[in-house]
Amino acid sequence: MQIYIEEHQNHAKTIKEYHLTMRGQDRIKSIFSFEYYSDDSKEDEVISDEEVLTQLFSRLNRFPIYLSFGFHELTDLEKEDLLSTVKHKQLPYTETSITKRERYMTVEVNQPTDLLQILAKTISVARNNGYYLIAFTDVLKFETRRVRRWLIKKERVVPVIDMTKPTTFFKTGFDFENMLIFSNETDFDALEKIEALFPEDEIER
């Protein structure tokens, strides 16, 4: 597998591009993105997105991890399967309904095996360009904001990422083409620190 890492210097532009609403946006110290891809000639080495992410967070060894996503963007069968797993494993979770059709969930995991299983059951939201975050703290909050929809501005409750305290979150890119890292922590404020998250021989320079 090969890893390509890029730093995003213009924070405001990147946040706007990915349609993120934040509290404490000015406290962000760094934004990086990384892409990973396998050598087509080595089909036996191809691994899934959920396996790549689980390996990454296992190397970081920083739990708990919070997965926040649009629950309404799962199919009915996926919802049932997810809830069954979460309750069977007794994983802490919260649900927030904004409207009858818009609902968000945050699941807390404390070990790699649970992370892999929840990723496998929810990663389809990210692949379909739905709302999907992975964070080291429970960053997803909800606030009433004045937002534009269909050329009309109106007040509505929206998901807001809280960056007022030290934290880092990972956001899937469009069509899952990459992963973005937003951080206000010194652990993620330099390129060499991001490179250290991956095996050295996999980084493309």
Side-chain angles (χ1 to χ4, degrees):
M1 188 172 70
Q2 294 296 303
I3 309 290
Y4 174 73
I5 302 169
E6 180 182 1
E7 183 173 7
H8 299 257
Q9 300 281 1
N10 191 329
H11 294 178
K13 179 182 177 182
T14 303
I15 290 167
K16 183 178 181 179
E17 180 182 354
Y18 286 89
H19 310 294
L20 299 173
T21 304
M22 293 187 186
R23 183 196 304 164
Q25 175 177 323
D26 58 329
R27 300 189 186 186
I28 291 179
K29 294 181 178 179
S30 62
I31 303 175
F32 288 90
S33 65
F34 63 90
E35 299 176 42
Y36 51 88
Y37 52 92
S38 300
D39 186 338
D40 292 336
S41 65
K42 301 177 181 178
E43 294 184 3
D44 58 327
E45 294 184 9
V46 176
I47 60 176
S48 66
D49 294 319
E50 52 267 32
E51 289 174 312
V52 172
L53 294 176
T54 299
Q55 288 178 7
L56 170 61
F57 287 106
S58 296
R59 281 193 294 271
L60 284 166
N61 193 28
R62 185 171 163 182
F63 289 87
I65 289 172
Y66 298 83
L67 294 90
S68 300
F69 47 88
F71 184 75
H72 57 282
E73 298 179 87
L74 295 169
T75 67
D76 289 343
L77 285 176
E78 288 171 334
K79 291 174 185 175
E80 291 177 14
D81 187 29
L82 174 61
L83 285 171
S84 176
T85 300
V86 166
K87 291 176 181 178
H88 175 71
K89 288 182 165 290
Q90 298 183 321
L91 301 177
Y93 73 97
T94 58
E95 291 183 69
T96 302
S97 293
I98 289 182
T99 66
K100 291 181 179 180
R101 295 183 178 181
E102 190 174 356
R103 190 165 147 204
Y104 295 84
M105 176 182 278
T106 295
V107 180
E108 177 186 331
V109 296
N110 287 278
Q111 58 183 354
T113 52
D114 290 340
L115 175 61
L116 177 61
Q117 194 164 8
I118 300 302
L119 280 169
K121 294 181 183 299
T122 60
I123 205 75
S124 62
V125 173
R127 293 195 184 109
N128 293 323
N129 293 322
Y131 197 92
Y132 203 94
L133 305 176
I134 306 172
F136 293 126
T137 58
D138 189 3
V139 297
L140 189 61
K141 312 299 178 185
F142 297 89
E143 296 179 359
T144 300
R145 297 281 185 104
R146 192 166 180 81
V147 296
R148 183 184 297 276
R149 280 206 170 180
W150 304 107
L151 303 178
I152 299 173
K153 275 193 171 183
K154 59 183 293 187
E155 287 193 347
R156 69 184 304 269
V157 177
V158 295
V160 175
I161 302 166
D162 186 1
M163 298 297 291
T164 58
K165 297 179 180 178
T167 193
T168 298
F169 75 89
F170 295 69
K171 168 80 174 70
T172 52
F174 301 120
D175 298 327
F176 217 134
E177 63 182 11
N178 59 7
M179 288 287 295
L180 291 101
I181 306 173
F182 297 77
S183 184
N184 59 17
E185 299 179 292
T186 56
D187 288 349
F188 300 89
D189 66 358
L191 177 60
E192 58 268 22
K193 295 179 181 180
I194 303 301
E195 290 179 340
L197 304 178
F198 305 96
E200 187 175 353
D201 61 350
E202 294 183 353
I203 296 173
E204 182 180 301
R205 292 184 171 90

